[in-house]
């Protein structure tokens, strides 16, 4: 793997979940075609609410670049069920998360962003919830993460339900986007 210097110090990520056969495994350049096949076969589902800009990397070159630019506080494993790629989940420090994060960084300089995508045929079974929970728990243990942000498009009720099951609370909503936050209190 040709990851950055910070990444090379971290062992490859592989996390079990409580669901039989469901694991999170760090994507490698050799997984690029598998990821592209997954993204393109689920294109309609993955872009249903936000259009093409919500489609994850979907060329072999883009996927390789994406998985090779991991940073120390950037986790984006694939979601694998019985050895088959069914999705991806990301937890990234806000300083290099996608989108506009300046305002969030000002109020939470050590916050993390959560994102995920799952194959349509695998929705409704708790896989996204368990994958997010496993990666967030990892970020808590390894990075001391206590402040998480995520969001969905207003009509994406299934994604909102995932966030609510994880304990996120809605803190801001516009016609275009619904923002969620999970701030865990740390005992002193």
């Amino acid at each position: 793997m040709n990851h950055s210097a910070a990444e090379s110090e971290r062992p490859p990520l592989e996390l079990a979940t409580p669901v039989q056969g469901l694991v999170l495994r760090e994507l490698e350049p050799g997984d690029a075609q598998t990821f592209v096949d997954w993204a393109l076969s689920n294109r309609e589902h993955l872009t249903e609410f936000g259009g093409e800009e919500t489609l994850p990397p979907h060329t072999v070159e883009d996927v390789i670049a994406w998985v090779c630019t991991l940073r120390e506080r950037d986790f984006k494993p694939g979601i694998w069920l019985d050895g088959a790629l069914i999705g991806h989940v990301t937890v990234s420090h806000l300083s290099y998360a996608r989108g506009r994060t300046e305002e969030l960084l000002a109020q939470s300089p050590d916050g993390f962003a959560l994102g995920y995508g799952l194959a349509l045929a695998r929705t409704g079974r708790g896989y996204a919830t368990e994958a997010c929970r496993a990666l967030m728990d990892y970020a808590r243990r390894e990075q001391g993460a206590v402040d998480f942000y995520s969001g969905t498009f207003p009509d994406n009720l299934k994604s909102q339900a995932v966030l609510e099951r994880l304990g996120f609370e809605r803190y801001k909503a516009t016609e275009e986007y619904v923002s969620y936050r999970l701030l865990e209190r740390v005992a002193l």
Side-chain angles (χ1 to χ4, degrees):
M1 231 187 284
N2 185 23
H3 293 307
S4 68
E7 174 58 21
S8 65
E9 299 169 14
R10 188 175 82 208
L13 179 66
E14 187 159 338
L15 302 172
T17 72
V19 177
Q20 179 76 27
L22 187 71
V23 298
L24 305 182
R25 181 177 60 77
E26 195 161 61
L27 294 163
E28 299 181 9
D31 297 319
Q33 187 61 57
T34 301
F35 192 90
V36 167
D37 294 345
W38 166 80
L40 294 179
S41 68
N42 286 281
R43 176 183 231 128
E44 186 176 330
H45 168 66
L46 295 171
T47 61
E48 178 180 359
F49 298 102
E52 289 294 311
E53 67 272 7
T54 62
L55 189 63
H58 54 280
T59 68
V60 169
E61 297 78 17
D62 287 348
V63 173
I64 290 171
W66 186 60
V67 302
C68 288
T69 56
L70 288 172
R71 297 170 183 97
E72 182 181 359
R73 302 176 82 185
D74 192 21
F75 312 100
K76 42 192 168 191
I79 304 171
W80 303 82
L81 180 64
D82 298 326
L85 181 68
I86 65 165
H88 73 95
V89 59
T90 64
V91 167
S92 296
H93 189 268
L94 288 174
S95 61
Y96 39 79
R98 236 173 58 161
R100 301 178 129 183
T101 60
E102 298 84 12
E103 181 183 327
L104 296 178
L105 272 167
Q107 65 188 19
S108 179
D110 212 24
F112 286 78
L114 170 72
Y116 48 91
L118 198 65
L120 176 60
R122 300 301 183 166
T123 62
R125 297 181 178 124
Y127 298 145
T129 302
E130 291 304 328
C132 290
R133 188 181 325 276
L135 191 57
M136 291 170 61
D137 286 347
Y138 180 81
R140 289 177 181 107
R141 284 190 313 271
E142 297 299 316
Q143 298 293 325
V146 294
D147 200 0
F148 293 93
Y149 293 86
S150 194
T152 72
F153 293 95
D155 293 338
N156 192 345
L157 302 179
K158 289 181 180 182
S159 194
Q160 291 173 31
V162 167
L163 294 172
E164 290 166 6
R165 279 192 296 275
L166 291 167
F168 280 79
E169 294 180 1
R170 185 183 292 214
Y171 77 92
K172 183 177 173 183
T174 66
E175 288 183 16
E176 295 85 30
Y177 204 69
V178 181
S179 298
Y180 284 83
R181 183 178 188 187
L182 174 62
L183 177 60
E184 299 170 339
R185 308 288 179 229
V186 179
L188 300 177

